[in-house]
Amino acid sequence: MNKYYTITELTREFGVSTRTLRFYEDEGLIHPERRGRTRLFRSADRRLIMEILRGRRIGFTIAEIREIIHVYRDPPGEAGQLRLLMKRVEEKRDELNQKRKDIEETLEELNNVEEACLTRLAEIGVGT
């Protein structure tokens, strides 16, 4: 038997707004059935929402998520999707490692500026 979820059930389960789910629908990421004005989400839509939110948490853009989803739906299918996902994960990891390096360099520079200020204050006889 097909289990359907309402938009309210999914917003509560995932802690997102109805606007978020409508946005994902507008972006072509999910395709709920319509019965009048009511959206009915299948289990597949629910799984996609779970994966979309996971992708957002790890920093993927909507465009990147869309690309990964579409690779699964079209040839080369799941194998192509997994290769693309691994490539995107590597890119995201490299990006985050670069940001970490940049932050560490900035913190070191701030430490140097602070030390220079403390040294100069001591030289001019001002206590901290």
Side-chain angles (χ1 to χ4, degrees), residues 17-81:
S17 67
T18 56
R19 186 176 182 166
T20 297
L21 295 183
R22 286 189 208 107
F23 173 73
Y24 294 158
E25 181 182 2
D26 291 344
E27 290 294 314
L29 300 175
I30 55 176
H31 305 282
E33 288 185 22
R34 295 252 188 180
R35 294 211 183 125
R37 293 176 44 108
T38 303
R39 289 172 174 84
L40 295 174
F41 296 84
R42 295 172 296 276
S43 293
D45 294 313
R46 184 180 167 276
R47 280 191 305 277
L48 269 174
I49 293 165
M50 201 176 327
E51 293 304 321
I52 292 165
L53 294 172
R54 182 179 186 207
R56 297 295 292 148
R57 275 193 312 274
I58 61 175
F60 288 146
T61 65
I62 292 297
E64 290 168 328
I65 292 168
R66 182 184 307 104
E67 179 184 23
I68 292 165
I69 289 171
H70 285 273
V71 167
Y72 180 79
R73 290 182 180 155
D74 301 323
E78 186 176 7
Q81 181 191 40

Side-chain angles (χ1 to χ4, degrees), residues 63-114:
E64 290 168 328
I65 292 168
R66 182 184 307 104
E67 179 184 23
I68 292 165
I69 289 171
H70 285 273
V71 167
Y72 180 79
R73 290 182 180 155
D74 301 323
E78 186 176 7
Q81 181 191 40
L82 293 171
R83 283 192 289 277
L84 177 61
L85 182 56
M86 286 175 24
K87 178 182 175 192
R88 293 291 180 254
V89 165
E90 181 181 349
E91 291 169 356
K92 189 61 63 181
R93 184 181 296 117
D94 290 346
E95 179 184 316
L96 289 171
N97 281 326
Q98 182 60 51
K99 285 180 181 180
R100 178 190 291 159
K101 182 180 177 224
D102 294 344
I103 288 169
E104 288 169 358
E105 289 174 0
T106 301
L107 287 170
E108 183 62 31
E109 187 62 29
L110 289 170
N111 290 338
N112 292 340
V113 168
E114 181 181 45

